[in-house]
């Protein structure tokens, strides 16, 4: 096991800068998610760490060794591909054995290790099958077993769950996390699925246009997004525009919204704040009582979407639509057209310069 | 599901699609071939006006001396050698075309591969004659570059026949291998490399097995016609270019002994079929 350090890595394809001085430390034994929209450079970065591509400048260090000029087969990494990339001409066991066999391990050792890896992914009995006889979830497990059987220094996952259907995906998230904990391998996971990043990783790096825009634990990033992009890309957020004033923001309609005291934009400058939909309380206008400590906005329900355990309200107020997520816990339901008051704490309000 | 549908409706709906091809094959190949099979059992051609009768002599002629079996053996060896060189030369080219080159460059290089198909076969062979003979293009060019005198006269030799045949048939390997190689997902190769396999190990353990259908198809496509080839051996081989195919050609063109030529052809066909049948299990396992 080992940590991975990426320092000032830059990679251009023609005029396009796919990665622009990206520096990240992937801690030893950690599960790190690289999250970003397509074209953000997350896959390019993963392929550089794997050794399929080399950086134009910058360094990549695995376990203290500079590897940026080392070819992929000498890097001792394990990788799981988006389409699993199982070898169709080999049985499941031979797929898993491949990495050990090209290293010239003894046949007896290989058999033991392969069985152990297949047991770990709960496919102990399917060694003789061919890849095309397996389901998507099983192929995924074989790909994982094949990647870890060689005891690589780092495990790289390139959107490994995106080809699975939703129910299976959730199962595999749990499974993948269990296996990662069990063997304690440093794992780097590329995904564009924010929910996957939140539930599986212990650190997230958000990439945009080849740059690392924010990094931290899932809670940190979710609770304190550093930019409007981070706020909207990871989780859902209402963005309220206005001008910076005091400890908060003056909206266009004159309402003053108090925000958590963080780094404040210059007074009087255009700014915006983000509020998560589940942090906002929605109350009928008639019963709402004003409380000076809380932010509040009056509005009118434009639309309600019922989804079983939760309802989403779209409320027109302050010249825009605010999304509010409410647990359906037996409170009286509000209808479309009802006048309401929205209330949320300044602690739930994150301010950015725009 | 598709097979279930076909069996339920029978072959009827497919007939209009199949008929033109099979009608054509019947008229253009099966009928003439049947006529040839018929001739091969005759003493004289019925068109010659002479009396004719049925005989097995034409087939017996093959076994009457060492000449025909020796020539057939030489032709089979020629087929194997040409196939070997074609695979050796064609596969790497197909790999580069399928996996390395992209876009316009690939199209341009691909065009160069199939260009020989667009020129007349006879022209191709005679242009080789100009290259290979003493004082020809190769000889002159090498002597212009090298400080010492060399004498290159490959014309009318076994290597010349090989060179001409390899040149004619290498595009088949490039095409068949290109198709199978292109079907191999790049991520398979990347997966092998990420598991620690060197380029050579990846080639041997992953790419070659997956490309085997293309190699076999290309090999069969080359081997069969090369064994019966006569044009290249005759023009480039001269006196050394006597092979089974040239002898058959002689029977038809020079000696006008069609029955013997036909019999020799069918013996060749039988031998090739037997070879393919014997090789089939091995080839299937290779796939």
């Amino acid at each position: 096991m080992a940590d991975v350090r990426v320092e000032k890595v830059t990679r251009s394809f023609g005029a396009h800068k796919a990665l622009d001085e990206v520096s990240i430390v992937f801690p030893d034994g950690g599960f790190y998610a690289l999250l970003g929209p397509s074209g953000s450079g997350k896959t390019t970065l993963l392929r550089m760490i794997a050794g399929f591509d080399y950086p134009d400048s910058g360094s990549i260090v695995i376990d203290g060794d500079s590897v940026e000029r080392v070819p992929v087969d000498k890097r001792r990494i394990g990788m799981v591909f988006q389409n699993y990339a199982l070898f169709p001409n080999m049985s499941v066991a031979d797929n898993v054995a491949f990495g050990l066999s090209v290293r010239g391990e003894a046949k007896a050792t290989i058999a033991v290790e392969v069985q152990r890896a297949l047991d770990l992914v709960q496919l102990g009995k399917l060694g003789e099958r061919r890849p095309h006889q397996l389901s998507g979830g099983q192929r995924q497990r074989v790909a994982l077993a094949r990647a870890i059987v060689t005891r690589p220094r780092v495990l790289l996952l390139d959107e490994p769950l995106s080809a699975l259907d939703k129910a299976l995906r959730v199962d595999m998230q749990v499974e993948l996390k269990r296996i990662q904990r069990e063997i304690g391998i440093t794992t780097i996971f590329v995904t564009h699925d924010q929910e996957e990043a939140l539930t599986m990783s212990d650190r997230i790096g958000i990439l945009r246009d080849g740059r690392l825009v924010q990094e931290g634990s899932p809670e940190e990033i979710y609770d304190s997004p550093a930019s409007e992009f981070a706020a909207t890309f990871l989780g859902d957020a209402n963005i309220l525009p206005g001008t910076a004033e005091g400890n908060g923001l003056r909206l266009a309609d004159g309402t003053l919204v108090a925000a958590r005291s963080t780094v404040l934009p210059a007074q009087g400058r255009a700014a915006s704040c983000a509020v998560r939909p589940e942090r906002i309380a929605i109350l009928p206008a008639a019963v709402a009582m004003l409380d000076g400590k809380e932010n509040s906005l009056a509005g009118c329900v434009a639309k309600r979407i019922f989804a079983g355990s939760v309802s989403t309200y779209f409320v027109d107020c302050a010249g825009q639509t605010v999304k509010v997520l409410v647990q359906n816990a037996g409170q009286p339901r509000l209808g479309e057209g009802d006048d309401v008051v929205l209330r949320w704490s300044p602690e739930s309000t994150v301010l950015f310069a725009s | 599901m598709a097979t279930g549908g076909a069996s339920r409706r029978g072959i009827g709906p497919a007939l209009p699609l199949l008929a033109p091809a099979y009608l054509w094959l019947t008229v253009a190949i099966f009928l003439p071939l049947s006529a040839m099979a018929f001739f091969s059992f005759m003493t004289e051609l019925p068109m010659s006006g002479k009396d004719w009768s049925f005989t097995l002599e034409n087939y017996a002629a093959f076994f009457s001396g060492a000449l025909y079996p020796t020539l057939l053996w030489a032709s089979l060896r020629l087929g194997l050698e040409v196939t070997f060189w074609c695979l050796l030369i064609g596969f790497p080219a197909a790999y580069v075309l399928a996996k390395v080159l992209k876009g316009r460059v690939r199209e341009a290089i691909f065009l160069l591969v199939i260009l020989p198909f667009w020129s007349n076969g006879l022209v191709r062979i005679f242009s080789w004659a100009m290259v290979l003979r003493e004082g020809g293009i190769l000889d002159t060019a090498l002597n212009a570059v090298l400080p010492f005198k060399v004498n290159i006269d490959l014309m009318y030799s076994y290597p010349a026949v090989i060179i001409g045949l390899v040149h004619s048939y290498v595009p088949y390997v490039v095409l068949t291998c290109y198709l199978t190689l292109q079907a191999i997902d790049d991520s398979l190769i990347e997966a092998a490399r990420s598991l620690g396999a060197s380029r050579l190990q990846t080639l041997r353990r992953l790419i070659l097995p997956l490309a085997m259908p293309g190699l076999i198809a290309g090999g069969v496509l080359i081997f069969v016609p090369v064994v019966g080839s006569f044009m290249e051996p005759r023009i480039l081989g001269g006196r050394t270019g006597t092979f089974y195919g040239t002898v058959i050609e002689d029977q038809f063109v020079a000696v006008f002994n069609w029955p013997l030529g036909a019999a020799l052809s069918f013996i060749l066909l039988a031998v090739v079929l037997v070879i393919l049948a014997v090789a089939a299990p091995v080839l299937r396992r290779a796939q």
Side-chain angles (χ1 to χ4, degrees):
Chain A
M1 307 306 144
D3 64 347
V4 177
R5 292 164 181 276
V6 166
E7 259 162 64
K8 296 201 168 172
V9 162
T10 298
R11 179 76 171 104
S12 303
F13 297 108
H16 173 66
K17 264 196 176 172
L19 287 174
D20 190 2
E21 299 217 336
V22 172
S23 300
I24 303 178
V25 175
F26 302 92
D28 187 6
F31 198 118
Y32 194 109
L34 287 172
L35 181 66
S38 53
S40 60
K42 56 190 193 301
T43 299
T44 308
L45 181 58
L46 193 80
R47 293 176 61 81
M48 299 233 170
I49 297 169
F52 293 127
D53 194 6
Y54 300 134
D56 296 335
S57 63
S59 70
I60 298 170
V61 178
I62 300 178
D63 197 16
D65 302 334
S66 282
V67 296
E68 64 272 0
R69 296 284 168 241
V70 175
V72 52
D73 52 320
K74 301 278 187 289
R75 283 199 190 181
R76 289 168 51 213
I77 53 109
M79 182 147 173
V80 175
F81 293 80
Q82 193 167 3
N83 59 358
Y84 320 132
L86 298 182
F87 307 135
N89 56 326
M90 299 178 203
S91 69
V92 164
D94 287 344
N95 261 279
V96 178
F98 187 86
L100 297 169
S101 151
V102 294
R103 282 171 175 76
E105 299 276 349
K107 278 212 164 109
T109 321
I110 294 177
V112 172
E113 293 290 328
V114 166
Q115 194 54 48
R116 187 183 302 166
L118 284 176
D119 287 340
L120 184 68
V121 298
Q122 300 178 352
L123 287 180
K125 293 192 178 68
L126 300 186
E128 295 311 308
R129 294 260 183 103
R130 290 265 162 174
H132 67 87
Q133 297 170 309
L134 302 180
S135 70
Q138 289 171 332
R139 285 179 206 187
Q140 171 74 71
R141 286 160 193 262
V142 176
L144 186 62
R146 185 178 68 176
I148 59 181
V149 74
T150 56
R151 299 170 197 274
R153 298 188 288 188
V154 52
L155 178 62
L156 307 172
L157 307 172
D158 184 11
E159 308 223 12
L161 304 176
S162 59
L164 301 176
D165 62 54
K166 179 135 175 109
L168 201 53
R169 196 153 64 215
V170 174
D171 284 352
M172 277 309 294
Q173 285 176 7
V174 175
E175 186 72 4
L176 196 56
K177 188 71 193 162
R178 172 185 73 78
I179 293 166
Q180 192 262 337
R181 284 234 180 84
E182 211 165 305
I183 59 177
I185 189 170
T186 308
T187 302
I188 305 174
F189 179 82
V190 158
T191 182
H192 63 263
D193 184 328
Q194 35 131 336
E195 195 187 304
E196 229 163 71
L198 285 171
T199 53
M200 296 181 70
S201 51
D202 36 50
R203 260 184 108 66
I204 296 176
I206 297 185
L207 289 165
R208 184 194 193 186
D209 299 335
R211 288 173 168 277
L212 182 71
V213 294
Q214 195 178 2
E215 185 185 37
S217 70
E219 291 87 348
E220 276 166 19
I221 298 190
Y222 189 78
D223 291 341
S224 312
S227 62
E228 200 177 305
F229 174 78
T232 49
F233 193 74
L234 191 76
D236 214 342
N238 292 299
I239 302 293
L240 307 173
T243 43
E245 187 178 317
N247 208 10
L249 186 78
R250 177 77 64 189
L251 300 185
D253 73 342
T255 319
L256 187 67
V257 174
R260 186 190 327 174
S261 40
T262 46
V263 188
L264 297 174
Q267 296 291 307
R269 293 285 295 275
S272 57
C273 68
V275 191
R276 299 285 181 199
E278 74 277 9
R279 297 290 180 90
I280 302 175
I282 184 167
L283 303 163
V287 302
M289 293 211 286
L290 287 179
D291 176 348
K293 290 198 200 92
E294 297 243 289
N295 291 316
S296 62
L297 277 176
C300 166
V301 176
K303 197 178 172 88
R304 182 174 73 95
I305 297 169
F306 174 74
S309 63
V310 292
S311 289
T312 307
Y313 290 93
F314 293 90
V315 179
D316 287 335
C317 59
Q320 69 179 101
T321 305
V322 175
K323 198 170 167 183
V324 181
L325 195 70
V326 179
Q327 288 285 335
N328 291 328
Q331 72 274 44
R333 285 188 186 134
L334 297 163
E336 287 169 13
D338 290 0
D339 286 327
V340 292
V341 170
L342 303 181
R343 223 147 71 177
W344 71 95
S345 139
E347 274 304 301
S348 303
T349 313
V350 185
L351 199 62
F352 328 106
S354 44
Chain B
M1 258 190 312
T3 51
S7 64
R8 198 166 55 243
R9 279 174 290 155
I11 201 170
L15 269 182
L17 301 177
L18 286 172
Y22 278 83
L23 214 62
W24 167 252
L25 287 174
T26 307
V27 172
I29 295 180
F30 183 70
L31 292 182
L33 213 59
S34 309
M36 277 295 160
F38 189 60
F39 292 162
S40 73
F41 292 102
M42 291 175 159
T43 50
E44 295 286 348
L45 278 182
M47 297 90 96
S48 64
K50 295 178 193 160
D51 289 337
W52 58 273
S53 59
F54 285 112
T55 175
L56 286 173
E57 243 171 66
N58 296 316
Y59 288 91
F62 178 86
F63 300 98
S64 63
L67 175 67
Y68 296 125
T70 311
L71 284 175
L72 180 56
W73 175 244
S75 283
L76 292 174
R77 229 192 67 192
L78 181 71
L80 281 179
E81 266 183 65
V82 170
T83 306
F84 170 79
W85 288 112
C86 283
L87 294 177
L88 198 71
I89 295 169
F91 184 81
Y95 183 83
V96 171
L97 276 168
K99 291 287 165 211
V100 182
L101 300 178
K102 302 257 181 304
R104 302 296 299 258
V105 185
R106 177 194 278 180
E107 284 167 29
I109 304 282
F110 211 106
L111 202 66
L112 291 181
V113 171
I114 56 174
L115 213 56
F117 280 149
W118 294 355
S119 62
N120 179 287
L122 214 52
V123 171
R124 285 203 307 261
I125 298 166
F126 275 113
S127 53
W128 269 113
M130 291 176 52
V131 172
L132 296 174
R133 72 183 155 83
E134 188 176 15
I137 295 168
L138 185 66
D139 193 22
T140 314
L142 275 180
N143 278 314
V145 177
L146 294 174
F148 47 89
K149 174 85 181 134
V150 286
N151 215 350
I152 303 267
D153 181 16
L154 286 171
M155 203 50 196
Y156 306 130
S157 69
Y158 188 64
V161 177
I162 297 271
I163 289 172
L165 284 168
V166 168
H167 165 82
S168 297
Y169 287 101
V170 90
Y172 289 105
V173 176
V174 177
L175 289 175
T176 57
C177 289
Y178 173 80
L179 291 176
T180 47
L181 284 170
Q182 225 196 4
I184 301 175
D185 197 323
D186 286 345
S187 68
L188 289 180
I189 296 167
E190 289 183 343
R193 303 272 290 139
S194 77
L195 290 165
S198 65
R199 286 175 193 283
L200 201 65
Q201 282 172 319
T202 308
L203 176 72
R204 205 165 52 81
R205 305 192 49 169
L206 185 71
I207 299 171
L208 277 180
L210 289 175
M212 203 43 85
L215 284 166
I216 291 172
V220 170
L221 274 180
I222 292 168
F223 178 75
V224 175
V226 166
V227 171
S229 65
F230 55 87
M231 205 158 64
E232 289 89 348
R234 188 175 296 289
I235 297 169
L236 297 172
R239 256 186 315 121
T240 61
T242 307
F243 287 91
Y244 197 74
T246 58
V247 169
I248 294 176
E249 190 209 4
D250 281 340
Q251 303 311 315
F252 283 99
V253 192
V255 192
F256 295 112
N257 189 351
W258 283 32
L260 179 60
L264 292 176
S265 298
F266 280 101
I267 290 171
L268 175 63
L269 181 63
V271 168
V272 167
L273 286 179
V274 166
I275 290 174
L276 292 183
V278 168
V282 183
L283 297 181
R284 202 170 309 128
R285 206 164 330 123
Q287 290 187 32

